[in-house]
Amino acid sequence: MGIAVYFAFFVGSVSSYGYAIPTKEVQWLGSVFAGIIFCVLVYRLTAVLSSLLFLGYGKLSSAQKIEWNNRGFSTFHALFASFTSFYLLMISDIFNKDSQEGLVVNRSSTFSNSVLGISIGYFLTDLAMILWHFPALGGLEYVLHHGLSMFSIIQALLSGQGQIYILMVLFSESTTPFVNLRWHLDISGHKNSKLYILNGIALFFGWLIARIFLFIYFFIHMWIHFDEVKEIFPLGFYSLLAVPPVLAIMNLFWFWKIAKGMVKTLSKAKHN
């Protein structure tokens, strides 16, 4: 009961900015459910295709098969989120400073709302699996990452504010396919293959660009446009100040582990 009251208060406080109307709410819910359905379908499809195309899949344990399939829809969402975010940020005119009047932090579209809703559906599904199988699919750092991500995306979706920054962070999901491929190669016995080494190098540079350099640009953009950022509703404003630094610290920690792993793999390959 307390959670329901808090959620109603949260939605009401964000919607009070005149953005939430019934038709938009239906669209939001529909996109969230679409994200959940896509995750379930891709999870099932990954299991079917893997059993047909990969001989080693049948030899995996039950827990390994669950994680294998889970990483299937994780990769699907990463590709979807990174491509759509790149389109919205770089190709479309939504966030082009000369294309529209009004503050860049207040810009959104039906398409951007749908992208955020589908991502919420993904994070909900993945978090549910992480908690159900805890800690097999990830520890507390994954719970924190998914919780903060959903908290920020929901605010941007309900208010229509700050979506440019949420999409920047969503683009960083472009590194996820490399992470998942690394796990797939490891679990299937191809840790010493050239593909594993090349994927590790791609992961290092991809992470450096999408999760280190991009976050540096993120903070610079916020600093330059801070007068606009201050116009975001209070909870969203303080969340924008607090959540990205936490994610940036987590990215730096994981980057350190990736760098150590790459050096170790390259040293072993050179020795062999």
Side-chain angles (χ1 to χ4, degrees), residues 83-96 171 217:
F83 279 116
T84 53
S85 297
F86 181 83
Y87 169 78
L88 287 166
L89 292 170
M90 304 300 296
I91 300 176
S92 73
D93 293 330
I94 298 175
F95 301 107
N96 188 324
F171 180 76
Y217 173 78

Side-chain angles (χ1 to χ4, degrees), residues 113 159 221:
N113 289 336
S159 68
H221 190 281

Side-chain angles (χ1 to χ4, degrees), residues 5-81:
V5 171
Y6 172 77
F7 183 76
F9 171 77
F10 175 74
V11 173
S13 64
V14 174
S15 300
S16 64
Y17 284 79
Y19 187 79
I21 59 176
T23 54
K24 281 187 169 62
E25 291 173 352
V26 170
Q27 176 209 340
W28 298 339
L29 290 174
S31 59
V32 172
F33 281 115
I36 295 173
I37 292 171
F38 280 138
C39 288
V40 174
L41 290 177
V42 175
Y43 181 91
R44 300 297 183 188
L45 186 62
T46 301
V48 173
L49 292 179
S50 298
S51 63
L52 295 175
L53 301 176
F54 299 100
L55 297 176
Y57 181 79
K59 300 178 182 179
L60 299 177
S61 65
S62 178
Q64 289 173 332
K65 287 180 179 179
I66 290 173
E67 184 166 1
W68 181 290
N69 301 336
N70 173 271
R71 289 178 181 270
F73 73 74
S74 171
T75 298
F76 173 82
H77 169 262
L79 294 173
F80 167 81

